[in-house]
Amino acid sequence: MTIEPVYYKTPFGSEIKHVPYAPIAGGETSRELVPDTAQDAYYFRSLEDRGICLNAPQIEAVRHHQGPLLTLAGAGSGKTSVLVARTGYLLTLHRVAPENILLVTFTKKASMEMQERIARLPGISRSIANRVQASTFHAFFLKLIRHKGHAQDILGADRYKQIVVKKILRDLQLHDSYQPEDVLAQLSAHKMNGLKPDQWPDRTPEEREINQIFARYEQWKQQYNKIDYDDILVIAHDMLQEKPELLAGLQKRFTYVMVDEFQDTNYLQYQLVQMLVRKSRNLFVVGDDDQTIYTFNGARSEFILEFGQTFPGARTVTLDINYRSTSSIVGLGNEVIRHNQKRKVKTLKAVHTSDFTPQFFTPATTDEEAEQIIRQIQTEVTAGNRSYKDMAILHRTVSNSRAVFEQLALQNIPFIPYSMGDQTFYEHWIVKPVIDHLRLAAEPRQFDAMEAAVHALFIPKDKGMDYIWQQEKLQRKKYPLIHLNTYPELKSFQKDKVKERVKLIKSLATIKPTVAVKKIRAEFYDQFLEATDRQAVTSHKETIKETLDELEASAKRFETAADFIAFVDGMIAKHKEIEQLHQQHDADAVSLMTIHRSKGLEFPVVFLIGASEGILPHSTALLEAQKAEAGRSPSDRGKKAARPPARAAGSAPANADDGEAALEEERRLAYVAITRAKEQLYIASPAWYRGKKTEVSRFLRDAFAAARPAGAAAAATAAQSKRPRGEAAASLPKARAISPAAPSPKPTPAAARAGEVTSREMTLAWLCTDTNCKAWSKIISYDDANQSEKSCPLCGAAMRRGSKEVQTRIQPQYY
């Protein structure tokens, strides 16, 4: 039975049923706001002739001359136009020499676009525009250190760096313990947070071990005269501290500094900026604290929140008109983000209206979610409404994209998986060893797959495989892994483990793959991953569990291990074909990417998948919140966590690993995803995830929450909030009237006397399709939700998945 997608104007279980709309911005622009009698009228008239009509806050920012200014640029608010127009204003109105302006961006593409647009401004020639220093942080400071004699080659390609680290890991016999990309990411974090080698954490054996890897990598670069991008900033920072005359020269030249995407600035970059503007104080930054989603790269929303403390007397201008999205999309974004406490308060307005509002749906599983999205894409393209390149599918983590990737590939829809890199889900270091054990079940003599089994027996992979090959030359075995029984370095208990492993592999061939994956995990793999703390240094344990749970969900669709492996190999081959689309400029293909990767982009149509508890917000953030709650005293529980004290200006960032900070960043991710959509937004919230029931994301539920009543109803609300999250969600019935929120039910006198109140809530259910039959049954298990069809126990008619409103009684809670 094909489940057709059913969309609603509000999320499943929402308390209010109306769509939030952003206020519509007034239509006044510089044409009305800047009279011809104004001294700078000729500049704005020239901009208008080129189609650049600025609104009131944009005009205020463009006119800013001296001193620090924070420009809070909401999503889609035209920040690039402001940066370009302000540059032209300095050049034209204030006669600032182009050589005195430094415009810092985060990508080479952005810096080139800035320079192109500056050259098209009135009264500015190409030669003048080229003399403005528009550059990325790394390009600017590379030029500086090159000028001062640093001629090292740039080690830029991530793949090359990973190969170098992989060799170091092999030399240290640690190649089975760490992933090169994780090692490099952690080293980068240390450097961008201003930590020197003697300040690297070394409390545990694992931290000291990884510091040894870092040291070897640094030695290798020095030996071969290489530096990487992080080194550019570290060398420049040290150089400016050690050579005050060099810093003074830069300060004298660059009297006006502008920084784009300020919310993405890390500690070291911010330190460099502060050094450059220490004398002039002419710093103009543009950013949005609501879009700070790169804290894992060192970005800190505090840099915006504490800008006035760092630069006393700084002005703030808020660009609050969104020119990208419709008013209902902007309105949803406003309602989601306003629940963050640690932010600059702002409400975006919109200029575009549409009858189409954000659409919500609740598929049973992530696989059903993928099927419904692909069906919607096919419908739009077949009808001629959209091309593939108009659409983007956004997901929280790479593992969350597994089902969508497969459906896109199976349906032959052109797409580009931007965030997957050169590996599929099944080639991920966490997943591959499990797949390899399934391969051995189907083909015991597959030696490439055998390496994973050797490693998972805590035997050095290279030595173990060499021994197996030697013994194979002497005596061929159906299960070559059994040769390890005579491996001279093994103790008797290890030989028993080899026998158990061979027995396990034999058993996997005759059971369903999902059972096989569970068995592999239960008998050795989960324990193997937990047996060393090394992975915990670079990878969160909850992420490992999530990835393996997703593998189980994938395997559930197949009857035999051989069928599953054939499917996996097909996906790997398909991924290699898809990679070619990356090389095609402006390919007509759906964009599949993480929310992080999507920041700064926009699409006519956006599908946000996985808007459920445990996905968005991610389980790691929920765990952080639980730890933070557990660490607070009983008397403080239930109260809002106090904000940490503000750090001294310029100090290194404090550890932001508390629950509130983690959840607020997750909410910012949801906000970024929503505000990528220009015209159409679809949000999916799977009802089951990792085999467990889950709720619609709290970020959506909070956005559609009614104002809390007082008295007994308030007690009921408190009682409801105490229920574990993850108790409700499902595909909704096909017909549901969208009506204004109904008033909360009042308790009857008898109920009030009994100290209880009633509450209505939606529950997942199978509903009879026969209009004369009122039968329904509550869905209480993942398997029940995942059924493709079901017959009514009363009349025998087909049943469909949907929901049922039920009334419950709730005892008030007293504290």
Side-chain angles (χ1 to χ4, degrees):
M1 180 176 68
T2 300
I3 306 291
E4 291 296 326
V6 183
Y7 302 111
Y8 303 96
K9 293 185 177 181
T10 58
F12 177 72
S14 57
E15 295 178 358
I16 60 175
K17 307 303 180 187
H18 61 265
V19 177
Y21 288 91
I24 301 300
E28 287 188 321
T29 68
S30 53
R31 294 184 187 277
E32 297 79 32
L33 297 169
V34 181
D36 290 338
T37 55
Q39 196 172 15
D40 54 5
Y42 74 93
Y43 180 72
F44 289 101
R45 298 293 92 84
S46 299
L47 291 180
E48 292 153 12
D49 290 342
R50 288 160 175 78
I52 305 172
C53 299
L54 304 179
N55 61 43
Q58 289 176 329
I59 293 168
E60 184 181 357
V62 167
R63 280 173 164 169
H64 178 72
H65 184 201
Q66 293 186 322
L69 178 76
L70 168 63
T71 306
L72 286 174
S77 60
K79 66 179 180 64
T80 303
S81 294
V82 168
L83 283 164
V84 170
R86 198 248 177 171
T87 301
Y89 198 93
L90 289 175
L91 294 169
T92 307
L93 273 296
H94 294 294
R95 303 299 179 186
V96 175
E99 292 83 2
N100 296 147
I101 299 174
L102 172 62
L103 178 53
V104 184
T105 65
F106 272 79
T107 66
K108 183 178 179 181
K109 180 181 178 182
S111 65
M112 292 174 65
E113 180 189 350
M114 293 279 191
Q115 219 145 26
E116 285 291 327
R117 291 180 63 171
I118 292 169
R120 294 198 296 268
L121 289 174
I124 299 175
S125 64
R126 167 65 65 178
S127 62
I128 292 175
N130 289 342
R131 285 155 57 195
V132 173
Q133 188 72 51
S135 176
T136 64
F137 275 102
H138 293 100
F140 176 77
F141 287 107
L142 176 61
K143 188 175 181 180
L144 173 68
I145 67 173
R146 285 278 194 251
H147 184 65
K148 294 301 175 182
H150 286 268
Q152 300 98 321
D153 295 330
I154 302 299
L155 187 60
D158 288 339
R159 196 175 189 84
Y160 189 8
K161 289 188 288 187
Q162 290 170 14
I163 290 171
V164 172
V165 173
K166 189 176 288 187
K167 183 179 185 306
I168 292 169
L169 291 171
R170 192 171 292 278
D171 291 343
L172 294 172
Q173 296 295 307
L174 295 173
H175 54 289
D176 294 331
S177 302
Y178 297 106
Q179 299 303 308
E181 57 269 32
D182 293 337
V183 171
L184 289 164
Q186 187 161 327
L187 178 57
S188 177
H190 286 342
K191 289 183 176 181
M192 292 303 97
N193 280 326
L195 299 181
K196 299 298 182 185
D198 60 352
Q199 297 172 309
W200 293 341
D202 64 350
R203 296 180 299 272
T204 67
E206 290 74 32
E207 286 175 340
R208 289 189 285 273
E209 192 171 70
I210 204 166
N211 288 348
Q212 186 181 6
I213 301 168
F214 293 162
R216 288 282 190 101
Y217 177 63
E218 296 301 314
Q219 291 167 6
W220 181 91
K221 287 189 296 181
Q222 189 171 5
Q223 179 183 353
Y224 290 96
N225 200 37
K226 307 277 189 185
I227 56 174
D228 58 27
Y229 287 124
D230 291 336
D231 296 327
I232 294 170
L233 301 186
V234 172
I235 293 169
H237 183 264
D238 292 346
M239 187 183 292
L240 294 179
Q241 282 190 319
E242 295 164 5
K243 299 181 178 180
E245 71 284 357
L246 176 61
L247 176 59
L250 290 174
Q251 292 170 338
K252 184 177 180 180
R253 176 180 171 183
F254 296 109
T255 52
Y256 291 88
V257 177
M258 292 186 276
V259 181
D260 189 17
E261 300 288 3
F262 184 61
Q263 75 280 342
D264 296 336
T265 307
N266 62 44
Y267 172 72
L268 192 59
Q269 290 167 336
Y270 195 21
Q271 285 285 297
L272 287 163
V273 168
Q274 289 181 66
M275 293 168 78
L276 290 176
V277 302
R278 193 172 294 154
K279 286 188 177 180
S280 72
R281 297 186 80 246
N282 289 332
L283 176 61
F284 183 102
V285 300
V286 181
D288 183 8
D289 54 306
D290 289 335
Q291 298 186 67
T292 306
I293 60 173
Y294 289 111
T295 59
F296 61 88
N297 277 344
R300 294 287 181 267
S301 59
E302 290 90 338
F303 295 157
I304 287 180
L305 299 178
E306 300 170 6
F307 190 78
Q309 295 171 278
T310 307
F311 295 94
R315 292 176 55 205
T316 299
V317 173
T318 302
L319 308 183
D320 60 355
I321 301 177
N322 180 294
Y323 292 96
R324 173 188 299 153
S325 311
T326 63
S327 60
S328 58
I329 293 172
V330 178
L332 177 60
N334 286 339
E335 284 301 307
V336 167
I337 200 61
R338 75 178 179 85
H339 291 275
N340 268 7
Q341 299 298 311
K342 200 173 180 182
R343 65 184 289 259
K344 294 278 191 181
V345 178
K346 50 192 171 294
T347 300
L348 295 191
K349 304 168 189 173
V351 297
H352 301 298
T353 60
S354 171
D355 292 335
F356 188 97
T357 61
Q359 302 291 293
F360 302 88
F361 63 108
T362 309
T365 64
T366 55
D367 284 295
E368 184 180 300
E369 173 186 59
E371 291 171 8
Q372 293 187 7
I373 287 173
I374 271 56
R375 196 170 299 121
Q376 183 65 37
I377 289 173
Q378 291 172 323
T379 298
E380 292 285 339
V381 173
T382 302
N385 299 328
R386 300 287 180 186
S387 59
Y388 289 120
K389 66 181 178 182
D390 289 335
M391 294 178 272
I393 304 172
L394 307 185
H395 50 93
R396 171 63 180 85
T397 66
V398 173
S399 64
N400 297 144
S401 69
R402 188 272 310 166
V404 170
F405 177 96
E406 292 172 2
Q407 282 299 315
L408 288 166
L410 289 170
Q411 299 300 324
N412 291 315
I413 292 177
F415 72 105
I416 302 175
Y418 284 97
S419 305
M420 194 165 283
D422 58 357
Q423 290 185 333
T424 65
F425 170 80
Y426 301 103
E427 296 169 287
H428 191 280
W429 69 268
I430 297 172
V431 175
K432 189 175 183 298
V434 180
I435 297 295
D436 283 344
H437 277 79
L438 294 177
R439 291 186 189 280
L440 288 175
E443 177 47 68
R445 293 184 57 78
Q446 194 168 120
F447 289 93
D448 288 343
M450 206 175 299
E451 291 185 2
V454 173
H455 174 49
L457 286 163
F458 295 98
I459 297 172
K461 193 162 53 181
D462 295 342
K463 291 182 180 179
M465 288 305 299
D466 285 346
Y467 184 79
I468 289 172
W469 278 113
Q470 291 170 14
Q471 296 305 305
E472 272 291 291
K473 292 176 182 177
L474 301 175
Q475 185 179 11
R476 183 184 171 93
K477 296 278 189 181
K478 181 178 179 180
Y479 289 87
L481 195 64
I482 201 69
H483 286 305
L484 293 176
N485 264 324
T486 58
Y487 188 52
E489 297 181 23
L490 291 193
K491 297 177 181 178
S492 58
F493 79 90
Q494 290 178 294
K495 293 179 180 179
D496 290 340
K497 291 292 183 184
V498 172
K499 294 175 184 176
E500 291 174 9
R501 188 64 52 80
V502 172
K503 184 179 177 181
L504 170 66
I505 290 170
K506 289 179 179 179
S507 72
L508 299 178
T510 58
I511 59 179
K512 289 187 176 182
T514 185
V515 178
V517 173
K518 289 179 184 290
K519 194 171 184 180
I520 289 169
R521 294 182 65 179
E523 293 203 12
F524 77 91
Y525 196 57
D526 284 351
Q527 184 180 2
F528 167 72
L529 290 174
E530 292 177 2
T532 173
D533 289 330
R534 285 165 169 165
Q535 295 291 1
V537 175
T538 54
S539 299
H540 201 291
K541 288 183 179 179
E542 185 63 20
T543 302
I544 293 174
K545 187 175 185 302
E546 172 190 274
T547 303
L548 292 173
D549 287 348
E550 186 63 28
L551 177 61
E552 284 186 20
S554 176
K556 194 177 184 70
R557 300 166 295 168
F558 300 90
E559 292 297 319
T560 68
D563 288 343
F564 185 38
I565 291 301
F567 174 79
V568 167
D569 288 340
M571 288 298 104
I572 292 172
K574 189 71 176 178
H575 181 258
K576 289 181 170 56
E577 294 176 20
I578 292 166
E579 281 186 313
Q580 297 176 4
L581 279 176
H582 281 274
Q583 312 303 322
Q584 298 178 26
H585 178 66
D586 203 30
D588 186 21
V590 174
S591 296
L592 176 63
M593 61 179 66
T594 62
I595 300 171
H596 286 99
R597 176 68 174 74
S598 75
K599 197 176 84 65
L601 303 177
E602 58 184 39
F603 302 91
V605 183
V606 167
F607 297 89
L608 171 57
I609 65 174
S612 298
E613 291 288 292
I615 311 176
L616 184 67
H618 193 261
S619 54
T620 54
L622 297 178
L623 283 173
E624 291 293 346
Q626 290 172 11
K627 289 177 187 176
E629 182 69 13
R632 291 158 63 189
S633 65
S635 62
D636 287 338
R637 288 177 190 163
K639 298 177 184 177
K640 192 164 286 185
R643 292 189 188 180
R647 294 181 282 95
S651 63
N655 185 357
D657 238 2
D658 62 52
E660 184 180 6
L663 285 175
E664 291 215 344
E665 176 142 0
E666 292 293 303
R667 188 178 276 107
R668 291 194 293 269
L669 273 169
Y671 174 73
V672 167
I674 289 167
T675 54
R676 298 312 93 196
K678 296 171 67 176
E679 300 166 20
Q680 292 176 237
L681 173 64
Y682 298 85
I683 301 180
S685 304
W688 260 269
Y689 177 57
R690 296 164 67 178
K692 298 177 183 177
K693 218 173 188 183
T694 186
E695 276 191 335
V696 171
S697 170
R698 66 186 66 194
F699 304 146
L700 298 179
R701 287 185 285 118
D702 289 347
F704 288 87
R708 294 303 180 204
T717 301
Q720 287 177 304
S721 69
K722 288 292 180 182
R723 291 206 315 266
R725 293 188 183 269
E727 290 188 353
S731 295
L732 297 180
K734 200 151 195 173
R736 186 183 79 177
I738 303 301
S739 60
S744 300
K746 295 181 179 179
T748 64
R753 285 194 298 272
E756 53 185 43
V757 293
T758 58
S759 172
R760 292 185 180 276
E761 62 179 35
M762 303 295 285
T763 186
L764 183 64
W766 282 100
L767 307 173
C768 184
T769 57
D770 188 332
T771 55
N772 296 317
C773 181
K774 303 299 182 184
W776 67 278
S777 63
K778 191 172 182 179
I779 296 176
I780 57 174
S781 72
Y782 174 81
D783 289 338
D784 194 12
N786 216 23
Q787 288 188 71
S788 59
E789 57 186 28
K790 188 170 182 171
S791 298
C792 177
L794 294 184
C795 69
M799 301 188 84
R800 61 177 172 80
R801 259 199 315 271
S803 63
K804 183 77 174 175
E805 187 176 54
V806 296
Q807 182 170 293
T808 59
R809 290 181 175 180
I810 302 171
Q811 292 289 341
Q813 305 291 313
Y814 301 98
Y815 301 96

